[in-house]
Amino acid sequence: MNFFEMFAEYAPIFLKATWVTLSLTAVALVFAGILGAGVAAMAMSRIAPLKWLAAGFIGLIRGTPLIAQLFLLYFGLSSIVVLDKFWAGAIALGVHNSAYIAEIIRSGFQSVPKGLVEAARSLGMSRERTLRRVQAPLAFRAILPVLGSQFIIAVKDSSLVAFIGLTELFRTAQNTAAATYKPLSTYAIVSVYYLAIVLVLTAVVNRMEKRLGRHKS
Amino acid sequence: MPDSENNPDQSAQDRFLAGDADKGESIVQLRGVTKKFGETVVFSDVDLEVGVSEVVVLIGPSGAGKSTLLRCVNGLEEITSGEIVVAGQTLSYDQKHLNRIRSRIGMVFQSFNLFPHMSVTENIAVAQRDVLGRGKDEAIQKAHSLLERVGLSHKADAYPGSLSGGQQQRVAIARALAMDPAVMLFDEPTSALDPELVGEVLAVMKDLAEEGMTMMCVTHEMRFARRVADRVVLIADHGIAEQGPPDQVLDHPVTERAQHFLSELSDH
Ligand SMILES: Nc1ncnc2c1ncn2[C@@H]1O[C@H](COP(=O)(O)OP(=O)(O)OP(=O)(O)O)[C@@H](O)[C@H]1O
Ligand SMILES: [Mg+2]
């Protein structure tokens, strides 16, 4: 059985696993987006304790490996609560990404030139109007490409959830390699799947960017 | 919210627009204004009045506080003590009040600060709609007539990124004028421009002055100051070092500070 025959034979189970990987990542990213936006709002607020809290959260999450966070949540808490593998994975991946997303959002807003805010305020626009009309749309344009790269990282990082036993793409590859004694073909195959997901995601982000950026000079 | 109908601060300009402006009435008054950043005093106890239709040019060495003074007038900087009155209203830092008074003060920045994600027309229309509550058609019509006035009708649908610096600054002036301001503040409006583009912006400002706009303008363009200013104010040493008609301050300064500053200028 050559690579292509194997690819075809194992396509059904890998496609099924792709669905698990995609839904796991999607749930995690929705969660990460909401949490990340909240943390970013705290980081940008004028209230010092909120800022510290956000900075502490971001520092802690970014300073520790995802696999440790995942194991802590799944195995570490097992004496208190046994989480479903999918949800443990989604929460760990979500919390992990929320710290990065918070930083991305914060720096996106920071990239909006102060002069534009002052120009809006000088016209009599309120803080809220300025946020809605000027800061948010410009920050979004700055955030989008970086967010796209973070999403790509998240797809690939979701493979770590294999190590708590969730049968997503990477776990499926591990199982297949063990059963067939063909690790080279198997891991090549799974890489093709990840690559395909990443390429599609990249194309989507590029398109959105083009649409938003078409007015620029 | 179009609340200008029964707004007392409208009176000065209304009378001016009606053609019987009292030249003695002042639109901007600074009374004993002190501004500090922390412990650093930028200027202290400054008194300054700008009359209706008066053009005041502010000059002075770098770091003297010219920008800060302008920014205090529209509340971008909070003053430490004293009082600022604009169009009859004492500036307070209550957000609602500040937003209302700011809508009557036009500000033009050195770096243009046009909104890059909006077309030229949208740049001029957005605050008319959001702040003054004008309808879409009215705001666009006003934008187009102002664009004509600054000679940029053909750029109505362009985006700021595709315009030259001089064009951007003229749009910024139109954007400020769209609010029907009682006074226009200019902070070095031509300093970021290539020399060949300075003229077109100064020409627009000169027209404005001739049409009776009240203006406070920080600039290093001495020719503009001579031709257009009613009064030149030298900001130095934490306050107003000298002021008077342009030919007096620029050619026959009385104070040593002014003589020193002007001699340094002509050295360069
Ligand atoms: N936000 C700020 N915080 C602290 N100090 C400031 C701030 N803004 C201005 N200053 C200081 O206040 C002083 C006056 O600055 P300002 O920008 O008003 O001067 P200027 O006369 O406009 O100078 P220039 O000709 O260089 O534009 C300077 O010493 C400056 O460093
Ligand atoms: Mg300045």
Side-chain angles (χ1 to χ4, degrees):
Chain A
M1 200 163 47
N2 68 23
F3 174 83
F4 296 102
E5 285 165 353
M6 188 171 169
F7 191 97
E9 188 180 330
Y10 284 87
I13 63 163
F14 274 101
L15 282 173
K16 217 176 119 198
T18 300
W19 173 248
V20 178
T21 286
L22 285 179
S23 44
L24 173 75
T25 311
V27 170
L29 285 178
V30 168
F31 177 56
I34 295 165
L35 185 60
V39 174
M42 282 166 60
M44 291 184 286
S45 85
R46 293 152 192 257
I47 304 160
L50 289 183
K51 280 174 118 122
W52 300 333
L53 210 62
F57 173 80
I58 292 170
L60 190 69
I61 298 295
R62 296 208 309 179
T64 51
L66 171 58
I67 189 95
Q69 294 160 9
L70 184 66
F71 278 27
L72 195 77
L73 188 71
Y74 187 70
F75 299 118
L77 297 185
S78 63
S79 54
I80 309 164
V81 52
V82 179
L83 288 164
D84 172 75
K85 287 186 173 69
F86 181 89
W87 288 106
I91 292 169
L93 199 58
V95 170
H96 185 76
N97 276 281
S98 74
Y100 287 90
I101 290 176
E103 269 300 283
I104 292 168
I105 293 174
R106 195 188 56 77
S107 58
F109 274 90
Q110 224 161 39
S111 77
V112 177
K114 212 171 130 239
L116 297 186
V117 176
E118 290 187 342
R121 300 306 308 277
S122 299
L123 290 162
M125 288 164 76
S126 65
R127 280 209 186 94
E128 296 71 33
R129 288 278 183 185
T130 304
L131 186 67
R132 213 165 74 207
R133 294 275 197 225
V134 179
Q135 289 166 283
L138 289 172
F140 187 67
R141 282 162 171 76
I143 286 168
L144 190 64
V146 198
L147 209 53
S149 328
Q150 186 59 39
F151 284 10
I152 286 166
I153 294 170
V155 170
K156 295 187 293 180
D157 279 357
S158 74
S159 58
L160 288 174
V161 178
F163 296 98
I164 62 169
L166 180 73
T167 319
E168 41 64 81
L169 262 177
F170 197 71
R171 182 70 171 190
T172 302
Q174 287 180 307
N175 292 342
T176 307
T180 59
Y181 298 105
K182 287 189 169 166
L184 179 60
S185 298
T186 310
Y187 291 118
I189 288 172
V190 79
S191 298
V192 169
Y193 280 87
Y194 280 111
L195 187 61
I197 297 171
V198 168
L199 288 178
V200 170
L201 203 57
T202 308
V204 171
V205 172
N206 283 347
R207 237 185 114 130
M208 284 176 73
E209 248 178 273
K210 265 218 188 85
R211 190 171 297 180
L212 278 173
R214 73 185 159 188
H215 297 316
K216 276 218 169 153
S217 60
Chain B
M1 276 103 284
D3 52 6
S4 44
E5 254 70 61
N6 42 22
N7 207 347
D9 68 357
Q10 185 88 24
S11 64
Q13 206 203 12
D14 280 350
R15 250 172 296 150
F16 155 62
L17 288 173
D20 60 359
D22 173 4
K23 275 269 182 188
E25 188 163 355
S26 54
I27 292 271
V28 177
Q29 291 164 279
L30 281 77
R31 297 191 189 125
V33 172
T34 296
K35 173 64 190 173
K36 297 184 196 172
F37 287 109
E39 290 300 300
T40 319
V41 180
V42 183
F43 44 78
S44 67
D45 204 20
V46 167
D47 292 302
L48 180 66
E49 296 209 1
V50 180
V52 175
S53 292
E54 194 181 7
V55 177
V56 172
V57 163
L58 304 166
I59 59 171
S62 179
K66 307 177 296 293
S67 300
T68 304
L69 192 134
L70 281 194
R71 292 163 60 82
C72 286
V73 171
N74 78 348
L76 281 178
E77 300 288 356
E78 212 168 307
I79 58 175
T80 311
S81 64
E83 185 187 31
I84 296 181
V85 181
V86 180
Q89 298 227 338
T90 300
L91 216 65
S92 82
Y93 299 98
D94 166 68
Q95 286 295 317
K96 260 197 163 144
H97 168 87
L98 200 55
N99 291 339
R100 194 143 53 98
I101 209 158
R102 275 175 178 160
S103 72
R104 319 254 11 255
I105 306 171
M107 178 114 180
V108 175
F109 302 86
Q110 181 175 347
S111 49
F112 329 132
N113 293 339
L114 294 179
F115 308 128
H117 58 305
M118 298 182 194
S119 73
V120 162
T121 301
E122 285 166 343
N123 261 280
I124 304 173
V126 62
Q128 293 187 63
R129 302 198 60 202
D130 280 1
V131 179
L132 303 179
R134 286 182 186 152
K136 190 174 178 184
D137 292 342
E138 189 189 356
I140 289 178
Q141 206 177 5
K142 177 105 186 170
H144 288 166
S145 75
L146 283 166
L147 281 174
E148 196 179 326
R149 186 159 156 195
V150 299
L152 289 171
S153 292
H154 58 297
K155 294 292 186 186
D157 297 321
Y159 280 77
S162 68
L163 303 183
S164 73
Q167 291 172 330
Q168 289 191 51
Q169 194 60 299
R170 285 187 279 154
V171 173
I173 293 171
R175 177 175 69 177
L177 290 175
M179 308 299 283
D180 295 322
V183 56
M184 287 280 286
L185 312 177
F186 295 85
D187 190 2
E188 302 198 31
T190 58
S191 294
L193 298 176
D194 292 336
E196 73 272 18
L197 301 177
V198 168
E200 63 191 61
V201 172
L202 291 182
V204 167
M205 291 169 61
K206 185 163 173 283
D207 286 349
L208 256 186
E210 279 163 6
E211 285 160 30
M213 178 57 72
T214 308
M215 294 164 55
M216 292 176 78
C217 180
V218 176
T219 185
H220 299 300
E221 296 291 334
M222 291 305 152
R223 271 169 32 123
F224 176 82
R226 269 178 225 282
R227 281 207 206 144
V228 182
D230 296 306
R231 181 156 44 123
V232 172
V233 173
L234 171 66
I235 309 283
D237 303 334
H238 313 297
I240 296 176
E242 181 159 347
Q243 61 176 317
D247 49 356
Q248 183 198 308
V249 175
L250 300 178
D251 299 329
H252 311 288
V254 203
T255 62
E256 223 171 280
R257 189 68 191 83
Q259 288 161 4
H260 179 70
F261 172 70
L262 290 160
S263 75
E264 288 219 313
L265 263 193
S266 51
D267 284 351
H268 297 306

